[in-house]
Structure formats: structure tokens, C-alpha cells
Amino acid sequence: MRQTFSCLFLGFGLAAGATAALAEALPLPEWQRELAAKPQGDAARGSTLYAGRGCAGCHGPDGLADNRQWPVLTGQRPLYLYKMLLDYQADRMAGPDAAIMASVVRALSRQEMADLAEWLGALPRPAAAEAPEPAILRGDRKRLIPPCSACHGAHGQGWDLQPALRGQNRDYLAKTLQRFKTGERNNDVNAGMSQFAAKLTDEEIRALADHYGR
Ligand code: HEC
Ligand code: HEC
């Protein structure tokens, strides 16, 4: 825990002195209010928006980015997709890749975000490579690391705000776990990931990414 807090602390210290200050993760009650106010998404409108707003240029016409450092969007949980779009817009994500997204979503309304999330979430998820299960998948009591399935589902399928991991690009998974580990990514509600990510070794991160990823 101490490591996580010191990373967060460092982040705020840097933000205070930097020109582009990063917003903090919203606390759970505020997220609950934010998500309760989410408009109902319309998948048909989402499909039109996806093409019209240039999403396909980076994420591919079918939501499967060629660049494996970037995320697969199809078959992802709509609520999580919606939350991420809000997070990028509010500058709650650090790093150069997040800056790309922040500029893309600047002008999106909440209705448009909900429409995009609805359409992408309903598309089929690509298959995982099915690399063998690493031991860390079941967590480690000694280091207080919970099993991934506790939040991401028995098959990494995710639910609500917990994203699907299965079928995600493995390089993106590894990159993202590293960012949680260093504290560069800290937009997770209630520190769901940050509370333990600093304790994962680089080998464990690689094995987890290979297991869930494609
Ligand atoms: C110029 C390239 C580019 C464009 C255009 C773009 N994206 Fe992205 N997108 C990215 C990158 C890079 C990331 C990974 C960011 C990171 O690692 O923080 C990303 C991440 C995301 C995520 C987070 C997924 C996850 O699993 O956390 C969502 C959702 C998303 N994009 C949706 C969209 C939508 C919808 C559009 C169109 C409105 C769009 N993107 C347009 C490059 C792009
Ligand atoms: C206590 C609940 C919890 C546990 C346990 C947990 N996660 Fe997460 N995870 C989350 C939440 C919540 C998010 C969404 C964070 C956000 O909103 O930014 C997330 C996000 C992620 C992401 C980012 C996905 C994306 O598309 O950007 C990855 C990768 C991830 N988790 C991997 C794992 C792995 C691997 C394990 C097991 C070692 C694990 N998680 C265990 C709650 C958890």
C-alpha cells in the first residue's frame, strides 16, 4: 500500500508544477452518481459515430487495432468503455497514448460516448491465444494479491466497470499493467488495480498478458 500512495503522491506533486495538471480519479460515490446519469446508448448511432469520428483510423474498422500496443475495443464491457471515454475527456489518464485519446474525445457528448460504448460492447470479442495459466492468476495471499477472477470474472470476461481481459492485445495488457505498477495509470476507482499492481513482478505481468491476451 505504501508504495501505491507514494506513487500517487509523486503524481500529484508533478502535476502541481506541470502545465497540464492531471485530474484525480473520482471517488466511488461520485462515480456512482456519474454512472447513474449515463444516457441509454444507441448501437446504430454508435456505429455511425465510430466511422464519422475517425476511430477506425487507429482502432481499425472493426475495433481490432493493428497496433498491438493499443487496445481491442470490441466485446468490451459498455460501462467500462463509457468510463474510459469520460476519463480521457477529464484528463484522468497520464502518458503519451492517453494524450492521443484525450484530444480525440474532447468534443464528444455523454450521449455520443454511451452510443459508441453500446455499439462496441455488442460486437464479438476476439479469441485469446490460451497460453497456460500462470500461478499468479490465482493471486498470492502472502503478498495480498487477489485472484484476477475476483473482479474480472472466472474467464476474464469482465462485468460492469471491470473490463474484459480475455482477447485483449497482449502487448497492451503488459503495457497497462506496467502503468498501474508505476502509478502512471491511477484512474481506477477505489484503487482496484493500484492497490496490488506494484507488487507484480515483470515476469508475472508478461505471463498474465500472455494468458489473457491474443
Ligand atoms: C489517433 C489514434 C486514435 C484514435 C483516432 C482513437 N483512438 Fe482510442 N485509443 C488510442 C490509443 C493509443 C489508446 C490507448 C491509450 C492508453 O494506453 O492510455 C486508445 C484507447 C481507447 C479506449 C480505452 C480502451 C481500454 O481498454 O481501456 C477507448 C474506449 C477508445 N480508445 C475508444 C476510441 C473511440 C470511441 C474513438 C473515436 C471517437 C477512438 N478511440 C479514437 C488511439 C486512438
Ligand atoms: C479488486 C478488483 C480487481 C482485481 C482483483 C483485479 N482487477 Fe484488474 N481492474 C479492476 C478494475 C476496477 C479495472 C478498471 C480500472 C479503471 O476503471 O480504470 C481493472 C483494469 C484492469 C486492466 C486494464 C484493462 C484495459 O482495458 O485497459 C488490466 C490489464 C487488468 N485490470 C488486469 C488485471 C489482472 C491481470 C489481475 C490479476 C492479477 C487483475 N486485473 C485483478 C479491478 C480488479
Side-chain angles (χ1 to χ4, degrees):
M1 273 318 254
R2 201 195 311 146
Q3 230 169 336
T4 304
F5 282 126
S6 64
C7 284
L8 287 173
F9 195 68
L10 180 69
F12 297 149
L14 286 175
T19 39
L22 198 66
E24 296 175 38
L26 276 189
L28 189 56
E30 278 185 50
W31 266 122
Q32 280 164 342
R33 275 196 294 278
E34 183 70 78
L35 296 173
K38 173 183 172 294
Q40 176 60 47
D42 179 299
R45 278 199 310 252
S47 168
T48 310
L49 276 166
Y50 186 84
R53 296 300 178 106
C55 313
C58 294
H59 290 286
D62 47 5
L64 304 173
D66 281 341
N67 183 335
R68 297 291 178 115
Q69 294 273 330
W70 296 0
V72 165
L73 303 178
T74 51
Q76 184 53 278
R77 300 282 139 193
L79 205 56
Y80 171 77
L81 291 171
Y82 180 75
K83 175 189 181 279
M84 287 301 286
L85 294 174
L86 284 175
D87 278 349
Y88 288 122
Q89 194 174 57
D91 288 321
R92 286 188 200 105
M93 294 275 288
D97 283 355
I100 299 177
M101 271 307 293
S103 63
V104 170
V105 298
R106 202 56 78 202
L108 287 184
S109 68
R110 280 172 165 61
Q111 181 65 59
E112 289 172 325
M113 292 183 191
D115 294 344
L116 284 159
E118 192 72 21
W119 180 64
L120 288 165
L123 295 175
R125 189 80 174 162
E130 305 281 357
E133 288 192 6
I136 189 61
L137 199 69
R138 293 186 298 282
D140 180 355
R141 275 165 190 258
K142 282 197 221 110
R143 287 183 290 160
L144 297 177
I145 301 176
C148 310
S149 59
C151 298
H152 292 279
H155 307 289
Q157 76 277 25
W159 56 281
D160 275 6
L161 283 179
Q162 280 78 224
L165 302 178
R166 195 185 191 78
Q168 184 52 272
N169 287 330
R170 59 176 82 184
D171 290 345
Y172 172 78
L173 285 174
K175 179 191 82 171
T176 302
L177 286 167
Q178 287 292 351
R179 290 168 78 202
F180 278 124
K181 178 174 172 170
T182 61
E184 184 187 74
R185 178 165 170 180
N186 61 8
N187 63 319
D188 45 333
V189 178
N190 267 10
M193 288 299 296
S194 316
Q195 58 180 309
F196 65 84
K199 298 180 225 165
L200 295 172
T201 67
D202 292 351
E203 292 70 33
E204 286 169 338
I205 286 179
R206 198 66 249 175
L208 286 163
D210 286 347
H211 172 69
Y212 281 121
R214 66 174 195 128

